[in-house]
């Protein structure tokens, strides 16, 4: 058959992932002549072959592409014959870098793990082994293009053997920028926190030190203490002795201790000031995880994926780990080792007389602060928590926490999107507006205050940041600002408009208003509208939907605190159709910390509406552990409307119910009362409580007075808390079902989008979807971004684009 010339352009994540050597080897095996090169933001292939060979070539590119690549498009054009004698890899060309894709940090691949345990291999027991298919990416990139000189690996000059691997197009490490070995690469460092030697911490490097030393290309660490095997052995010995070790990972420090040692767990809780929030654990492999949790095949695939997230898994009834890891919680957050060092730690621990099979592996920070990622910062902030530090001299450029996810109906339901997922963009073509101008503006969406992320777009590609955290202190704000600067530089994005929350006091809102743009380029967006828009973008849909936004708090357009909302509309325009009836929130944010305040508020609301019940002593049986003077103060605030903003929040209703059936103390982490309420719910209960829908001024109000009365009656009749919880969950799913039916009758809409932190409740989510689908509703939930406030920035960006596009 006739030999033709073809130009093939491949777009997507195809640079820095071993794509060119893959194409090179494939073409050689098929006797195709030509070349492959990086050109701008894509890979360009020139191939001289028959049309049949071309078809087979394209099929194999699609089916056998490198594991870290993601092909978004393949375009083939006829070209003239150039008479190539062979197939080669050509030098990169700058070209048009309109869409830049950078791989996330990926856990150690199978091939590197084999080399790690092979005594004959150059990189045997080298804790920084990596290749084109694994290792650090996003966390070490300082600038584009993604070349070694633009990463934190620039200070390590490759030895001859590593250089040979790096230059060999047949080698797995061809152009793998972090390539190194024990002779030329980063080294482990260990030191104790209470080391008396004044020189001990003196030479730990920070950003400025590293940058000033780059020109020296020095491979020698100026670290203070122990290296490699000695450092690893010292850290493991501490773990075996029940102590706490700060361990530097891909995106920052972890605080680790034995998960089997109750005293060590309690010590970590006390030092970290983390009273009740569950800890994540790391285990050697899935078989070990099965000792503690029930794991489906899909959950196994999440756990073992190259993203290596923390996966929430249901505990076995006989799980023998200390309850203090995750008290009053039916799930454990488990992850597998994602770095060579973590694999080596478990290898050492498993070969001792008293092996440790599970480690607490929690973020290296004090509660409410961002994760530490610089050595000096870690020493300053973590020395009061950790007994020792296992670090290294490879700098992390951008901090990034572990991702958290779970399975829901054999589909991923992500909770925190960070390492392993970021900075991969989400493609949402239907979220950029129906009337698309020639140039799509670039939006910076600043997100909310809690679980903050920011988002930027390039046309229909939405770059959502890693999890920043709660914007409540200077350190987190600094991380937010640095992240925005890094993303805009890395992806060559010039911001045209800014989107922000309505709340004027959010630090993200203040950042937007101080950005330097005029008011015409600032787009304020209501929090719950952003929630529903993000769910639509997550599912790449447009048009109008019924939106159900249930969460804890968000400033409404009427100045009240929303959170139990039903909407009708799409990206550009939303109308509130209904909401939970307003009740007082005594003490404002204090009511979030103390759920019993909301219980008192609903009891007061009940009385104000003239509803009597047989409950004893004005509810004191349910609130018997609350001091009378405190109750009197709250009642005074409610009756006189002192510091008592009105709220329609479903999250606060969950708090009230938890308070009514016995959760009286102060919560120690966000959503604690609602989470405990979920996990105590009895299965197979079908009954629910009554409620009422009232039409008022073009909206309906959801009145739950009868719900509260029913709960009180059940408490007085000694109905178990687990049954009350189940009936309440059924009631909330009934509310969703009936309200959506009402809206469909009025509008004809049958698509429902569910968003907000309350939908992290698996009982509620499952029952709501089942009821809605029984009436032929199309139900959309989150998958690619969290349903909590981590999704807000995506929704803001989509809304802003639609408004800007008219």
């Amino acid at each position: 058959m006739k030999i033709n010339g073809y130009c093939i352009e491949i777009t997507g994540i195809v640079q820095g992932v071993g794509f060119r050597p893959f194409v090179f080897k494939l073409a050689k095996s098929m006797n195709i002549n030509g070349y492959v090169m990086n050109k701008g933001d894509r890979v360009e292939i020139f191939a001289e072959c028959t049309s049949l060979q071309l078809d087979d070539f394209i099929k194999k590119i699609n089916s056998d592409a490198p594991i870290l690549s993601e092909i978004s498009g393949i375009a083939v054009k006829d070209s003239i014959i150039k008479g190539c004698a062979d197939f080669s890899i050509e030098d990169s060309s700058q070209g048009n870098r309109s869409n830049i894709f950078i791989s996330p940090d990926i856990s150690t691949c199978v091939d590197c793990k084999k080399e790690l345990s092979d005594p004959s291999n150059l990189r045997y027991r080298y804790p920084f082994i990596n290749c084109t298919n694994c290792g650090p990416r996003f966390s070490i990139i300082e600038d584009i293009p993604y070349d070694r000189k633009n990463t934190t690996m620039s200070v390590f000059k490759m030895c001859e053997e590593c250089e040979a691997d790096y230059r060999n197009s047949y080698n797995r490490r061809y152009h793998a920028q972090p390539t190194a070995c024990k002779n030329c690469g980063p080294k482990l460092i260990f030191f104790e926190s209470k080391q008396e030697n004044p020189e001990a911490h003196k030479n730990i490097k920070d950003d400025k030190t590293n940058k000033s030393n780059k020109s020296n290309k020095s491979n020698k660490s100026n670290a203070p203490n122990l290296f490699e095997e000695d450092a690893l052995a010292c850290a493991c010995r501490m773990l075996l002795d029940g102590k706490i070790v700060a361990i530097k990972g891909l995106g920052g420090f972890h605080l680790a201790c034995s998960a089997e040692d109750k005293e060590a767990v309690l010590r970590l809780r006390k030092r970290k000031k983390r009273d009740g929030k569950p800890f994540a654990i790391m285990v050697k492999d899935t078989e070990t995880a099965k000792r503690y949790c029930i794991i489906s095949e899909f959950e196994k695939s999440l756990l073992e994926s190259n993203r290596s997230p923390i996966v929430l898994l249901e505990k076995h009834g006989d799980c023998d780990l200390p309850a203090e890891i995750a008290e009053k919680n039916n799930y454990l957050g488990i992850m597998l080792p994602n770095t060579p060092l973590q694999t080596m730690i478990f290898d050492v621990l498993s070969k001792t007389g008293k092996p440790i099979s599970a480690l607490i592996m929690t973020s290296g920070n004090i509660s409410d602060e961002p994760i530490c990622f610089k050595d000096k910062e870690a020493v300053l902030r973590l020395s009061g928590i950790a007994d020792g530090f296992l670090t290294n001299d490879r700098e992390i450029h951008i901090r990034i926490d572990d991702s958290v996810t779970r399975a829901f109906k054999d589909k991923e339901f992500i909770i925190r999107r960070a390492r392993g997922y970021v900075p991969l963009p989400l493609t949402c073509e239907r979220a950029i507006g129906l009337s698309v101008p020639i140039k799509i503006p670039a939006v910076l969406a600043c997100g909310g205050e809690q679980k903050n992320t920011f988002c930027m777009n390039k046309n229909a590609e939405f770059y959502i940041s890693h999890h920043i955290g709660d914007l409540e202190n200077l350190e987190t704000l600094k991380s937010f600002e640095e992240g925005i600067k890094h993303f805009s530089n890395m992806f060559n994005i010039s911001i045209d408009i800014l989107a922000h929350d309505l709340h004027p006091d959010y630090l993200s809102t203040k950042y937007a208003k101080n950005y330097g743009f005029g008011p015409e380029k600032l787009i304020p967006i209501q929090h719950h509208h952003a929630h529903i828009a993000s769910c639509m973008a997550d599912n790449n849909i447009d048009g109008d939907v019924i939106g159900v936004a249930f969460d804890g708090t968000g400033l409404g357009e009427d100045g009240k605190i929303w959170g139990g909302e039903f909407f009708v509309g799409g990206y550009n325009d939303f109308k509130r159709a209904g909401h939970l009836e307003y009740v007082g929130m005594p003490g404002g944010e204090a009511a979030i910390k103390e759920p019993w305040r909301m219980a008192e508020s609903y009891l007061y609301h009940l009385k104000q509406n003239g509803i009597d019940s047989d409950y004893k002593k004005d509810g004191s049986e349910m609130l018997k552990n609350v001091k009378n003077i405190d109750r009197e103060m709250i009642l005074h605030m409610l009756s006189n409307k002192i510091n008592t903003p009105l709220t329609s929040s479903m999250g606060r209703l969950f708090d009230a119910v938890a308070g009514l059936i016995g959760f009286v103390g102060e919560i120690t982490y966000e959503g604690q009362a609602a989470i405990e309420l979920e996990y105590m719910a009895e299965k197979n209960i079908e009954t629910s409580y009554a409620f009422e829908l009232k039409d008022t001024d073009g909206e309906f109000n959801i009145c739950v007075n009868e719900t509260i009365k029913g709960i009180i009656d059940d408490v007085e009749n000694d109905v178990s808390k687990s049954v009350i919880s189940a009936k309440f969950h059924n009631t909330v799913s009934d509310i969703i079902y009936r309200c959506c039916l009402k809206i469909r009758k009025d509008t004809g809409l049958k698509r429902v989008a569910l968003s907000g932190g309350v939908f992290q409740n698996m009982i509620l989510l499952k029952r709501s979807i089942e009821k809605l689908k029984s009436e032929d509703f199309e139900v959309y939930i989150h998958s690619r971004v969290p349903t909590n406030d981590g999704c807000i920035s995506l929704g803001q960006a989509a809304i802003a684009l639609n408004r800007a596009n008219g």
Side-chain angles (χ1 to χ4, degrees), residues 187-193 195 197-210 212-213 221-227 246 248 253 373-380 383 388-395:
K187 299 185 184 301
L188 289 180
I189 306 163
F190 176 84
F191 54 87
E192 295 183 16
S193 293
Q195 205 161 211
N197 177 4
E199 299 295 306
H201 303 154
K202 179 180 177 182
N203 292 319
I204 294 293
K205 295 181 288 184
D206 59 15
D207 261 350
K208 292 179 182 177
T209 309
N210 272 343
S212 64
N213 287 341
S221 170
N222 54 4
N225 204 341
L226 303 170
F227 298 95
K248 191 174 182 180
F253 280 82
F373 73 116
K374 300 292 185 187
D375 287 7
K376 276 195 171 181
E377 170 195 38
V379 169
L380 288 171
S383 287
F389 288 79
L390 182 59
T391 182
N392 62 73
D393 55 353
R394 182 177 69 197
E395 184 186 332

Side-chain angles (χ1 to χ4, degrees), residues 666-720:
E666 184 174 332
I667 66 166
T668 59
Y669 63 91
E670 184 191 1
Q672 181 181 359
I675 289 169
E676 292 186 10
L677 191 67
E678 175 189 358
Y679 291 148
M680 72 172 64
E682 181 75 30
K683 295 179 180 178
N684 303 317
I685 299 293
E686 299 298 327
T687 55
S688 56
Y689 298 110
F691 61 91
E692 185 181 359
L693 301 183
K694 298 179 180 178
D695 287 318
T696 308
D697 297 328
E699 298 179 354
F700 59 81
N701 283 349
I702 306 155
C703 176
V704 293
N705 286 331
E706 291 299 324
T707 304
I708 301 300
K709 181 178 181 300
I711 290 170
I712 293 166
D713 291 343
D714 277 353
V715 170
E716 293 298 315
N717 291 321
D718 294 323
V719 175
S720 72

Side-chain angles (χ1 to χ4, degrees), residues 287-338:
E287 289 307 306
T288 306
K290 286 179 178 177
R291 288 167 46 186
Y292 309 122
C293 294
I294 301 163
I295 304 177
S296 69
E297 282 302 310
F298 182 73
E299 288 169 330
K300 181 174 180 284
S301 70
L302 287 177
L303 199 62
E304 295 178 348
S305 73
N306 59 16
R307 292 173 168 179
S308 193
I310 298 169
V311 183
L312 295 188
L313 301 166
E314 187 176 0
K315 286 193 283 192
H316 283 304
D318 58 352
C319 175
D320 59 359
L321 290 174
E324 288 77 10
I325 293 173
E327 284 193 286
K328 298 181 181 179
N329 199 308
N330 299 339
Y331 288 79
L332 280 177
I334 295 184
M335 63 176 163
L336 302 183
N338 56 74

Side-chain angles (χ1 to χ4, degrees), residues 54 155 170 334 394 460 509 575 596 601 650 664 668 683:
L54 175 69
V155 295
Y170 284 94
I334 295 184
R394 182 177 69 197
T509 302
K575 178 180 182 297
W596 67 268
S601 179
M650 181 59 75
V664 175
T668 59
K683 295 179 180 178

Side-chain angles (χ1 to χ4, degrees), residues 465-539:
S465 78
H466 49 298
H467 168 83
I468 302 294
D470 297 348
L471 290 181
E472 296 175 344
N473 55 57
L474 184 61
E475 280 299 318
T476 316
L477 177 62
K478 182 180 176 184
S479 178
F480 170 79
E481 293 173 341
E482 288 173 348
I484 289 173
K485 189 180 296 183
H486 187 54
F487 267 62
S488 58
N489 176 60
M490 188 166 53
F491 299 115
N492 193 27
I493 296 174
S494 180
I495 303 302
D496 297 311
I497 52 178
L498 266 77
H500 61 83
D501 193 271
L502 285 183
H503 203 300
D505 295 332
Y506 282 0
L507 292 180
S508 55
T509 302
K510 291 179 178 180
Y511 174 88
K513 291 186 175 181
N514 292 329
Y515 193 81
F517 280 2
E520 72 282 357
K521 290 189 175 184
L522 297 178
I523 301 180
I525 293 166
Q526 200 280 321
H527 182 92
H528 300 96
H529 185 185
H531 260 298
I532 301 306
S534 74
C535 186
M536 294 174 65
D538 195 342
N539 290 278

